[in-house]
Amino acid sequence: GKPFQDDSTQARLGRARDYCVDTVPKLLMANGKLVKMLIQTGVTRYIDFNGIAGSYVFNSGKIYRLPVTASEALTSSLVSLFQKNALRKFAEFMRTYKCPKRVANTLNKQEFVAAITEYYKIHNPEKIVEVEDLASKFDSRREVLVSALEKKYGLPLFEETADITFGDGPLGLNIVNQPVKKAVAPELGGPIASVVVVADFNKLQDGSKGPAEASNRVAKGDIVRAINGESVLGLPDQAVKEKIMQASRPLVITFMKPAFDPSSQKYDLLSMTMRDLYAKFGLDETTQNFIGHAMALQT
């Protein structure tokens, strides 16, 4: 408007064309249903989504950045002395929290039935005849069924894999046997009692990272799923090592992420409210307000 068109304003703030101030910003949850719906309807052909780089509040005549990391929690003057450590612990918990991927609800019923059938082919073929009934019974609670199966048989139903190609030379891997959690005995239909997992990475002679670690696609705890497309699930580590040594190069090893274990998390966000979580960390109302504002903008 006219009040901002004089030379002094332009000298202080720069040219009006260089920035845009939206007095009514349209803020959407990054992984929310509305964003998914907009993407599905194709509006991204003419609408751009921008992430929020930071959240700020105007308080006592100054602008402050809202603390969203553990280090910011300790240095922010917005947080009282007694709340700094509580907010730091909360920020660290949120940073390291892992939520299982909700794949089941993205499938139609036929695809869901096919996924369970393939899972039973590996772990308990005799149960295949029950798949249709199970899928119907848990159609509105698919994740409950997925969690129950993974807890019983110890391996992920929806596999998250990475194929890594190795040329000549060492792989830079240390692999060991690991019992499958909650493994079902072979006589009860559970043929896989153990898997081979990545225990550690070995450096090369010059001290650099080996090809496995350097790929940034393999982590400690990942399962060796296949070698050159041939499944090695259930084989002992020595047998897997022999297959690797006998295979010609280039060699393709398929690594699989382990099944998500909810017990590995201190708190399960799917079974509690934010008010419950705030109480666990001892956050007062003022700190909760800051967190709520920051989460609304940055989630």
Side-chain angles (χ1 to χ4, degrees):
K2 292 183 179 180
F4 300 99
Q5 291 177 352
D6 59 273
D7 294 338
S8 61
T9 300
Q10 183 166 309
R12 279 191 304 116
L13 303 178
R15 298 177 304 174
R17 74 180 74 174
D18 291 339
Y19 56 89
C20 176
V21 176
D22 190 346
T23 57
V24 188
K26 290 76 178 171
L27 300 174
L28 308 174
M29 299 294 278
N31 198 33
K33 292 182 178 179
L34 180 55
V35 170
K36 292 179 180 179
M37 181 190 73
L38 292 172
I39 293 174
Q40 185 70 25
T41 55
V43 299
T44 50
R45 292 194 298 266
Y46 49 87
I47 293 180
D48 292 328
F49 293 98
N50 290 320
I52 301 298
S55 309
Y56 300 82
V57 293
F58 185 76
N59 187 32
S60 302
K62 294 183 180 180
I63 297 177
Y64 296 89
R65 180 184 174 89
L66 286 171
V68 293
T69 67
S71 60
E72 290 174 349
L74 295 176
T75 58
S76 175
S77 58
L78 290 174
V79 184
S80 68
L81 178 63
F82 296 105
Q83 282 287 290
K84 288 183 182 295
N85 194 47
L87 181 56
R88 178 191 65 80
K89 292 180 179 179
F90 176 83
E92 187 63 20
F93 167 76
M94 296 302 295
R95 185 185 70 81
T96 58
Y97 182 80
K98 295 181 180 178
C99 185
K101 292 187 176 181
R102 301 298 174 183
V103 178
N105 292 329
T106 66
L107 308 178
N108 60 41
K109 186 173 181 180
Q110 185 178 359
E111 292 170 334
F112 186 55
V113 168
I116 300 175
T117 301
E118 290 300 315
Y119 192 72
Y120 272 139
K121 283 182 181 179
I122 298 174
H123 300 284
N124 199 342
E126 293 182 359
K127 291 284 189 178
I128 292 178
V129 295
E130 302 177 14
V131 171
E132 288 284 353
D133 289 339
L134 278 173
S136 297
K137 182 179 179 181
F138 288 91
D139 191 47
S140 61
R141 298 178 297 133
R142 292 180 177 182
E143 293 300 339
V144 174
L145 176 59
V146 171
S147 296
L149 291 174
E150 292 182 343
K151 184 177 181 180
K152 182 174 183 179
Y153 296 105
L155 292 175
L157 194 153
F158 298 105
E159 298 183 2
E160 184 180 351
T161 61
D163 292 332
I164 309 298
T165 301
F166 297 91
D168 295 331
L171 310 183
L173 281 174
N174 180 20
I175 56 176
V176 297
N177 280 328
Q178 178 176 288
V180 173
K181 187 178 181 182
K182 304 285 186 181
V184 178
E187 60 270 19
L188 297 179
I192 299 177
S194 65
V195 291
V196 175
V197 303
V198 177
D200 205 352
F201 296 108
N202 300 325
K203 300 294 184 181
L204 300 182
Q205 288 186 346
D206 61 2
S208 62
K209 295 179 179 180
E213 185 179 9
S215 71
N216 291 321
R217 300 177 63 198
V218 185
K220 294 178 184 179
D222 284 0
I223 299 166
V224 180
R225 176 69 173 84
I227 297 174
N228 284 336
E230 179 186 353
S231 175
V232 294
L233 290 179
L235 295 182
D237 57 350
Q238 192 57 43
V240 173
K241 290 176 182 178
E242 289 178 2
K243 283 183 174 292
I244 292 174
M245 289 186 292
Q246 294 170 2
S248 59
R249 303 293 179 98
L251 165 71
V252 178
I253 300 181
T254 302
F255 296 91
M256 178 174 69
K257 297 298 180 186
F260 178 79
D261 181 10
S263 65
S264 65
Q265 307 289 352
K266 187 175 182 180
Y267 303 114
D268 181 10
L269 299 188
L270 299 178
S271 62
M272 62 193 307
T273 65
M274 288 305 297
R275 185 180 297 276
D276 296 333
L277 188 64
Y278 291 152
K280 292 289 186 182
F281 285 92
L283 301 175
D284 63 23
E285 186 174 348
T286 300
T287 306
Q288 290 178 32
N289 288 337
F290 290 142
I291 292 173
H293 184 72
M295 289 178 66
L297 294 180
Q298 296 196 210
T299 299

